[in-house]
Amino acid sequence: MDAVTLVRRLHQHRTWANHQLLAAAEKLSEEQLRRAFPIGQGSLWKTLCHLYAAEYIWLDALEGQDQSLAPGDVAGKLPGNQEGDHAARTLAELATRWVELDDRWQQYLETLTDDALDETIYKVRSTGGRYEFRRADILIHVCTHAHYTVAQANNMLRHAGAESIPDPMVITLARSERAIG
């Protein structure tokens, strides 16, 4: 398997795991969704918004926009201003935006080449400073960040009383693709 095929597979897994997480969150009440937890971004809702925003801004960087903000972010927001962190106001709105973002990611990944993996990408951090990264490192980071964040969200789902917790493992995706009968 070549590097681009592997990167595409990692992103296929990321997308699949995100959708499992959204499906589980849809079964929660607003109170459960927004319940405070001392992990992640502080609630399942904020963690989902953070995950979406990270995937949004990193795709923008890969596409040449080094100073991106996700929809709903507020440039120069004050510490503790949580309202600016939300990409959407409802889970349904967030899910709709995420499908659109998934389509952008799919289009981007379809054009990815092996030579592009070593290209330099620039990103301006919200806290200041312009950094350069290898394209491959960003592509891997987005997937590992998602995996880590989905694990935190699963923990929140468990503690919020969700009846079903997604199994976000790559092997579970592979098993579901090869299920017989």
Side-chain angles (χ1 to χ4, degrees):
M1 179 181 295
D2 63 85
V4 169
T5 302
L6 182 58
V7 166
R8 287 179 182 144
R9 180 62 170 171
L10 289 171
H11 282 271
Q12 178 189 12
H13 170 256
R14 173 188 56 77
T15 301
W16 173 82
N18 287 348
H19 286 278
Q20 282 198 350
L21 184 58
L22 284 169
E26 287 173 353
K27 297 175 185 173
L28 299 177
S29 69
E30 276 297 309
E31 182 180 323
Q32 289 171 308
L33 184 64
R34 296 175 190 269
R35 178 179 165 191
F37 291 103
I39 60 171
Q41 300 302 307
S43 74
L44 181 56
W45 169 248
K46 290 177 186 176
T47 298
L48 289 169
C49 290
H50 169 77
L51 186 55
Y52 168 85
E55 293 178 9
Y56 187 98
I57 63 167
W58 281 115
L59 179 57
D60 273 1
L62 290 165
E63 293 177 333
Q65 300 173 42
D66 68 349
Q67 295 188 36
S68 177
L69 291 174
D73 279 353
V74 177
K77 65 185 178 211
L78 299 172
N81 176 5
Q82 300 303 318
E83 287 306 306
D85 293 338
H86 299 172
R89 296 287 174 219
T90 66
L91 190 58
E93 183 182 352
L94 180 61
T96 297
R97 289 184 186 194
W98 220 321
V99 168
E100 294 167 2
L101 181 59
D102 291 340
D103 289 343
R104 279 185 57 209
W105 269 103
Q106 184 62 37
Q107 291 170 11
Y108 172 81
L109 292 166
E110 286 174 3
T111 64
L112 188 63
T113 65
D114 276 328
D115 290 339
L117 294 175
D118 285 322
E119 292 174 351
T120 300
I121 302 297
Y122 297 94
K123 175 75 178 91
V124 175
R125 292 187 57 180
S126 59
T127 56
R130 186 170 193 242
Y131 296 86
E132 61 180 62
F133 304 95
R134 279 186 34 228
R135 185 179 305 271
D137 290 333
I138 293 172
L139 288 163
I140 293 167
H141 167 72
V142 169
C143 293
T144 57
H145 174 268
H147 199 79
Y148 175 81
T149 305
V150 167
Q152 289 180 327
N154 268 350
N155 193 17
M156 290 180 210
L157 281 167
R158 185 173 290 108
H159 290 287
E163 292 182 23
S164 178
I165 308 299
D167 178 356
M169 303 304 288
V170 173
I171 202 67
T172 305
L173 169 61
R175 190 180 309 123
S176 71
E177 292 170 334
R178 298 184 184 266
I180 301 173

